[in-house]
């Protein structure tokens, strides 16, 4: 299943002596291979794996309330400018920081990301005078989207999605199940004809869409067709392995038949990568479909 066109040229990365604030802006620019020295965000888990060369400073809500860490980083790092995203989130619009940052003597640029991903890519490319990069990214986005649209529908399937977040200092692993109110459920599951067995209203959650998993048993009892592994894949695998060791007689088919696939996490700031992320999910679903056929044949014989 090929999703790429004939021209898959990837431009040389461009590194800006700047701090980018806002996950959607940072991910849109990353698609253009434009990176900053520092990032401020907070909606995406395991950001270190997405942006290993950029310093993660603090969360978005933190900088909205207190700019001291940012201003200290700016002066110590001799940063040229700050880029803020102008978004449609009324209680977290970073554009409100402009007067305070300019009053402190900093140069500020604004990237409007209030439109669809294609338009946001074009705006980002125009802001950085990288229209050729923007054209390539848009072309690949639309080509992948169209290739996925032409694929035949999949049979209905039940997918349990597990996300592991590893603490960057002490290596603790935090395990979550993705619930039905998540953006992943709304944007990825329908394209796979998939059912999410995890209902948000059955659990106490701190972050909407993420249900903390202290015991895997009730989640595996849903008997998913396959298990999606996201974030720190080894972290999820360790938790699943521990479950099998402690419940050797209660191993669901998804585990005994090796229907566990590592796929990319998805949330709103990653909309610019939705086609490429969905491509991996589709490939996992196709593998599960083939495995199911093999298992059914083996059981019949």
């Amino acid at each position: 299943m090929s999703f790429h066109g004939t021209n898959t040229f990837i431009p040389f990365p461009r590194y800006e002596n700047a701090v980018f604030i806002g996950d959607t802006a940072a991910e849109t620019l990353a698609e253009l291979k434009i990176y900053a020295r520092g990032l401020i965000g907070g909606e995406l888990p395991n950001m270190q794996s997405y942006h290993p060369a950029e310093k993660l400073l603090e969360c978005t809500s933190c900088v909205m309330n207190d700019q001291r860490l940012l201003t200290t980083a700016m002066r110590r790092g001799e940063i040229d400018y700050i880029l803020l995203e102008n978004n449609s989130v009324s209680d977290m619009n970073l554009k409100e920081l402009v007067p305070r940052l300019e009053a402190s003597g900093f140069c500020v640029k604004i990237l409007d990301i209030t439109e669809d991903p294609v338009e946001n890519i074009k705006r980002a490319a125009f802001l950085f005078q990288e229209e050729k990069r923007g054209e390539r990214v848009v072309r690949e986005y639309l080509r992948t989207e169209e290739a996925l649209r032409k694929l035949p529908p999949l049979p209905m399937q039940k997918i349990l999605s597990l996300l592991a977040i590893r603490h960057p200092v002490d290596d603790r692993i935090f395990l979550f199940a993705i619930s039905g109110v998540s953006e992943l459920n709304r944007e990825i599951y329908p394209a796979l004809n998939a059912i999410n067995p995890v209902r948000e209203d059955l659990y106490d959650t701190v972050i909407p869409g993420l249900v903390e998993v202290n015991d895997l048993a009730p989640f595996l009892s849903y008997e998913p067709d396959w298990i999606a592994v996201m974030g720190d894949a080894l972290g999820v695998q360790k938790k699943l392995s521990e479950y099998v060791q402690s419940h050797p007689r209660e191993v669901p088919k998804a585990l005994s038949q090796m229907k566990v696939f590592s796929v990319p996490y998805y949330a709103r700031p990653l909309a610019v990568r939705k086609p490429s992320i969905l491509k991996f999910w589709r490939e996992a679903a196709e593998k599960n479909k083939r495995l199911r056929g093999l298992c059914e044949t083996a059981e019949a014989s």
Side-chain angles (χ1 to χ4, degrees):
M1 205 167 26
S2 176
F3 291 87
H4 293 291
T6 56
N7 182 9
T8 56
F9 172 77
I10 299 175
F12 197 83
R14 171 176 167 178
Y15 294 98
E16 292 290 295
N17 191 33
V19 173
F20 295 166
I21 306 180
D23 289 317
T24 303
E27 298 311 316
T28 301
L29 289 166
E31 278 296 276
L32 294 167
K33 299 295 181 289
I34 299 174
Y35 304 101
R37 289 185 61 184
L39 293 177
I40 292 177
E43 291 187 63
L44 299 177
N46 300 309
M47 277 291 287
Q48 294 88 345
S49 62
Y50 300 137
H51 298 270
E54 296 163 274
K55 174 67 175 175
L56 304 178
L57 297 174
E58 59 180 331
C59 70
T60 306
S61 59
C62 297
V63 77
M64 289 289 288
N65 295 320
D66 188 341
Q67 294 81 53
R68 285 177 296 178
L69 193 154
L70 172 62
T71 55
T72 299
M74 291 289 292
R75 294 190 172 105
R76 285 182 178 176
E78 298 181 346
I79 305 296
D80 294 334
Y81 68 90
I82 299 169
L83 181 137
L84 302 173
E85 70 176 28
N86 176 31
N87 56 47
S88 57
V89 183
S90 59
D91 61 342
M92 194 67 73
N93 196 335
L94 292 159
K95 192 176 180 181
E96 296 174 7
L97 289 175
V98 173
R100 281 175 272 178
L101 294 174
E102 288 183 338
S104 297
F106 299 121
C107 176
V108 180
K109 294 184 180 182
I110 303 292
L111 175 58
D112 191 313
I113 48 88
T114 57
E115 300 296 331
D116 63 84
V118 168
E119 183 61 31
N120 290 342
I121 292 168
K122 292 177 180 178
R123 290 179 177 183
F126 178 78
L127 181 64
F128 284 84
Q129 299 180 327
E130 293 283 4
E131 286 84 355
K132 288 294 183 183
R133 292 188 189 218
E135 290 172 6
R136 291 191 184 100
V137 173
V138 167
R139 193 161 53 242
E140 203 60 40
Y141 179 101
L142 295 175
R143 183 181 287 123
T144 304
E145 189 177 56
E146 180 63 19
L148 286 164
R149 193 179 296 117
K150 291 180 179 178
L151 293 174
L154 290 163
M156 189 169 289
Q157 58 199 295
K158 188 188 301 180
I159 306 173
L160 173 64
S161 296
L162 298 176
L163 166 72
I165 300 175
R166 187 181 294 265
H167 194 284
V169 177
D170 59 22
D171 261 2
R172 280 179 298 160
I173 296 170
F174 300 91
L175 186 64
F176 299 90
I178 309 299
S179 80
V181 305
S182 64
E183 288 153 343
L184 189 152
N185 185 85
R186 292 196 299 270
E187 299 290 334
I188 302 298
Y189 271 59
L192 303 175
N193 194 22
I195 299 170
N196 188 342
V198 182
R199 286 174 47 189
E200 179 94 355
D201 58 355
L202 297 180
Y203 303 92
D204 293 326
T205 60
V206 177
I207 304 172
L210 298 183
V211 176
E212 189 169 2
V213 178
N214 296 311
D215 179 8
L216 271 167
F219 297 93
L220 294 175
S221 69
Y222 292 128
E223 287 291 343
D225 291 302
W226 59 279
I227 299 172
V229 172
M230 294 170 290
D232 190 291
L234 180 58
V236 179
Q237 290 170 333
K238 286 177 66 176
K239 296 292 186 181
L240 291 173
S241 176
E242 290 168 3
Y243 173 85
V244 171
Q245 291 175 35
S246 58
H247 301 77
R249 297 184 180 181
E250 303 172 18
V251 180
K253 286 185 178 180
L255 288 178
S256 63
Q257 297 177 355
M258 299 184 67
K259 296 180 178 180
V260 181
F261 306 107
S262 179
V263 288
Y265 178 71
Y266 179 83
R268 181 182 55 82
L270 293 167
V272 70
R273 296 182 194 155
K274 182 182 173 182
S276 60
I277 289 173
L278 180 55
K279 176 186 69 174
F280 285 103
W281 281 77
R282 175 78 195 207
E283 289 176 354
E286 294 280 4
K287 289 178 182 177
N288 171 69
K289 181 182 173 183
R290 290 193 292 271
L291 273 174
R292 183 165 67 179
L294 290 171
C295 291
E296 289 174 352
T297 302
E299 289 173 0
S301 61

